[in-house]
Every structure is written in structure tokens, then in C-alpha cells.
Amino acid sequence: MIKKEYYVISILIMVMVLIMFQSLGVATSLFQQEDQNVYTKQTTLYENSAMTNYEVTDQENIAIYDTNDSYIKDWAIENKMTYHMYENITDMLQSKAELLIIDPKELSQKDYDELYDLKLDGKVLVFTNLPAESYLKNDKVKALLGIEAYKGKKEIHYIKVYDGFFIGQETHYQEDVDLVIPYVSLKSGYKVFMDGYLDKEADIKNEEMPPIFWRSYVHEGLVYVMNNDFMEDNTIGRGILTGICNDYMPYHLYPVVNAKAMVLVNFPMISNENQEALEKRYSRSSISLMRDVVYPQLISIMDQIEMKGTFLFSSRLDYTQTTPIDEDALSFYMTHLNREGAEFGLSGIQRSSLSLKEKLSQDLNIFQKQYPHYAFHVFAAGTQTQAQLNALSNQFQDLKTFFVPDQFSERLFGFLDKKSLFIRSNWTMNQYTYVDDLKLKSLFTSLGMLNMTVDMKNLIYPESDKDDWTVLSKDMSRFASTYLKPYQSFDHTLLSETDQRIRRFLAMDMTHKRVDQSIEVSIKGFEEEAYFILNLHNETIEDCDHATFEEVDDGVYLIHAKEASFTIHVKEATS
């Protein structure tokens, strides 16, 4: 016979188990609220003051001469350093700035004479490219640039990027390299960060390799020289300028976004299109291809790198077609992607010529028929102009993040208006050349961020075998498992989370000072958290007050600040 107290205990255990299962069901139900965007959050809009108050007329940190590359100004702002643009060398040489960035395209012999006569006394000169060939035969110009001799133009097919300049390991590029550059030898006392081979099979000494990017000592100062047009690219240029600061500064602390986002455009799509071509290629309809083949493999690849995705919905690509909408397919994606922690947005890309207003009206009617309370915050732009996106932002108040193509702006991100931010796509999954790898290194070195784009449009309407899912999925898997590996310390984010981090990044300002073995940092405009990279020479971080840290490369640390003031304690590195 069961004793009374055992009976009571048994009843209590049964009740507790029942409550636990009910709670689990409620929690699961809350997490999977398909009718609501669980990432809806009141976004701090921020006034755009941080993008306008760094240009000064004196006491600037950076002096810039005659360059049309607006990214250099943006780079200075992102690093929270003041700058001034100069129209002539004479005025620039009166600047008290430590860093002088010079585009040599418009320099005259008189300008070079003035630069040669300048006593740098600790200043740093950066030449974003080599001057015209005629100047490379001038002794003063060669001496200023650290060149011993000019040997004419040479073709190179192999590039080596040395360890320690960009975040990421030493890299050798052998494929797709076809450059013609001035072949120069350097005076003693130089350091080369990037060079090439005349013949990748030849056994030549390091000092005989054509230098592409180097540093020399001139007049008690440092001169960095780029022997190519790499710095005309606003992504690679950012990485190189950041690497220069990392190289010459005793320590370099600068803010970063810290966000890796994967954006899948025109996915999901819930109508059958291009039926004959897809049946021939895959023996499937477009809906079956996406749901039964593409989706499981996508999730598997994303799981490899523990990444969530931002999926930008389009009901169809060709709005002249009248094939029925598959509401069950939409329900499938909503259920499964919510479980994966994904977010939904809208795509403005199509193959037809329907007005954007009508396209979005059709898509929203279809979506909101099943999910009337779901709020979209992210929109993928196609060929729309800034004026069109501004109008869209005003029309749809929930939209706050506009994902734009590379050609939309020279800037990587910025404000459309006081409410909405544009974020430029800076990576596509269907290509990978040595230039793309330099961009990848530069994005993480300068900003700690990456926006990966996978557009499913060409999967449904393939233009070549490169658009086949077998090829694309292999490229994605290789990129995720290999090329992203050096940057695994940076956070995986949804695009709406990247948006929030960019807003905080733009709005904040910072000051820091070295006191013995400590770096004291103060943040103005701090909200919740901030991220920084610290580059050290022959030192390591011992501890942080009010912040955490992780080493992302040798002597390079990602700092997560949790308060507006924090302190980094460093110590001498042990070999």
C-alpha cells in the first residue's frame, strides 16, 4: 500500500512535469510566432551628425590632397579622425597632420620638389599610386618614393601578400593575375607588404621581385607607396589605409561594425516559372527545386558556419505570368525559417517591368493574406534610384534597411533619410578572384563586416552552367568553410542586426590615451555595446575592465565594450 506522503509526492511530480511540458509548448509557440517578425525592435534613428563633423580647417589628423575618392573621407570618419582636403601641395605641407594621403595623378615637378625638400620629422606620407612613367626617371622623385631604379613595365602573373598587414594569413595569388606594373628596385631600408613574380615558376630572390606595395624611410619619416590602382577601389583602399595605421602607430585602436550577414535575395519564391528549362536541367519545377533541393542544402551550409539568414521574399520574378501562387510553400518556409532564427524582407528585383509600387502591392497582398501582422523591415533594391528609395521609405514606415547593389553608391553604407539606412552588398557568392580576396581581407581589416549576397534569380533563369545549383552550392560551401575561416571571430548577424550596429557605429565618437601599461577609452554616444579592433606591436592584452576581448590574428584583438568607458591592460609579449 502506497503511503500518503508518497502519493502526494507522486502527484506533485506529475503536476510539475505537466507544467514543464506546457511551458515548453508556450515557449515554442512564442518563438515560432509566424504572424509576427520576432526581430521587430524600436530602432534608435540617430541624427547623422557623425558623418559631417570630422572635416576641419586646422589641427586635422589627416591631410588629403586632390583625390576624388570620397571613401578616404568616409574612412577617416569611420575611424573617428578629423581630416581636411587640400587643393595644392604648398598648403598641404603647412598642415600639422601626422598622416598625409596623396593622389599623385595631378602632381607637378614643382610639387615633387616641395615634397622632397619637406622634413617629415615623424610624418607619414601615403602615395595611392605611382606617378607617370616620366617622373620615375627623376632622381628626386625616386628618392622620395624609396626607389633605386626604374626598369620599365613588366607583366606579372603571381602576387604575394605578406602576413601581418591585413587580418588573415599570408596569401599567394596565382589564378586570374594579369597585371602590368612599373618594375622598380628599392633603396635599402624598405619593407614590402605585397609583391609579384615575373614568372611564378622562376626561382628569384625576394629583392628582385617587383614590389607592389612598400614602405620606405625618407627624411626621418615614413613613405608608403602603392604601385598599382588597388587603392582606387573603395573597399581595398580602406583595408590598405587601415593596415598602414596598424603598421606605423605604436598601437591602433579603431571602431568596427563586427557583423557578417548572409542575404538571400528572391528567396523564397512561391510560383512556378521557367518550367521547361528547369524540368530539363533538374527534372523539377521551380517550387520543388527551391523547397526540396536548395533549401535543405542552404540550411546545411549555414549551419556549418553557425549563420542565420535574411531571406528577401518575392512571390515571383516574372509578373507577366499568371501561374498560381503556392500558399502551402509560403507556409512551409515561414514555419521552418522561423525555427532557424531567420528574418524575412522584401525584394524589389524582378524580370518584368511592373512598377515597384504594383510589385510590392502584389507581394504584400499575398504574404499578408496568411500573415496579416508581419512587419517587413528589410528591402532589397534593384535598379531603383535614391529618390525612389526615399519615396518607398516614406510610403512604408516599417522599412528601415535598404540593401542596395554595388553600383548604388561609392559608400558602403549611409542614411537615406532620418529613418532609413542603406547597406551596400559587398560580396556575391558566384565569383572569387584574387581581387575579391583582397576585398574580403580589407572589409574585415577596416570594418570587421561582410554582407554576403546570394541572388536566386539566375538559378531560376540560368544564363550559363555557372548558374547551376550544383556549382553555386559548391562555391558557397567552399567559401563558408575555407575563405571565411580566418574571420570566424566576427559575429554572424541578420541584416537588421547589422543595421543596428552600423547606426551605433556611425553615431559614436571616441577618445583614448595610453597610461603606462593601460589604454583608457571613453565613448561618446554609447548605446548598449560597441566594438573595436586593437592592433599591438610586441604586446598582448592581459585583461580588460568593462569589456571583453578575443584575439583574431597575431597581435590583433576584437574588443567588445559593454560600458561607455573601459580600460585595456597590456603586457609585453613573450616569444
Side-chain angles (χ1 to χ4, degrees), residues 360 478 536:
L360 291 181
R478 183 173 65 251
L536 295 170

Side-chain angles (χ1 to χ4, degrees), residues 28-47:
T28 303
S29 176
L30 287 171
F31 183 73
Q32 298 174 6
Q33 289 186 61
E34 297 170 7
D35 198 24
Q36 296 180 18
N37 187 343
V38 296
Y39 297 103
T40 294
K41 180 180 178 181
Q42 183 62 41
T43 299
T44 305
L45 300 180
Y46 302 121
E47 291 295 331

Side-chain angles (χ1 to χ4, degrees), residues 176 406 425-437 439-440 453-454 466-467 471-472 475-476 478-479 483:
D176 306 312
D406 186 66
S425 169
N426 51 39
W427 194 265
T428 56
M429 286 287 194
N430 58 354
Q431 62 182 25
Y432 201 84
T433 66
Y434 77 96
V435 173
D436 295 311
D437 194 68
K439 288 183 179 181
L440 187 69
T453 308
V454 183
K466 289 183 178 180
D467 298 321
V471 176
L472 180 59
D475 288 344
M476 289 180 64
R478 183 173 65 251
F479 178 76
Y483 300 120

Side-chain angles (χ1 to χ4, degrees), residues 39 257 259-265 308-312 341-346 377-381 400-404 421-426 449-453 492-503:
Y39 297 103
V257 177
K260 297 193 301 269
M262 180 179 286
V263 183
L264 298 107
V265 182
K308 300 176 289 186
T310 296
F311 292 78
L312 303 183
E343 72 173 342
F344 278 87
L346 293 169
H377 303 308
V378 180
F379 173 80
K400 64 187 177 91
T401 308
F402 287 78
F403 192 59
V404 299
L421 195 74
F422 75 82
I423 303 175
R424 206 180 83 189
S425 169
N426 51 39
M449 72 173 293
L450 181 68
N451 303 316
M452 296 170 280
T453 308
H492 298 291
T493 59
L494 299 171
L495 198 62
S496 59
E497 295 170 325
T498 300
D499 171 293
Q500 184 72 3
R501 292 189 179 194
I502 288 174
R503 291 172 191 263

Side-chain angles (χ1 to χ4, degrees), residues 519-550:
I519 302 169
E520 298 175 356
V521 188
S522 179
I523 305 172
K524 181 181 178 182
F526 177 83
E527 183 188 274
E528 290 191 26
E529 62 182 4
Y531 296 93
F532 300 86
I533 284 177
L534 175 63
N535 188 283
L536 295 170
H537 299 283
N538 302 315
E539 291 182 309
T540 62
I541 294 181
E542 184 173 27
D543 195 13
C544 288
D545 299 333
H546 310 302
T548 59
F549 66 93
E550 180 177 357

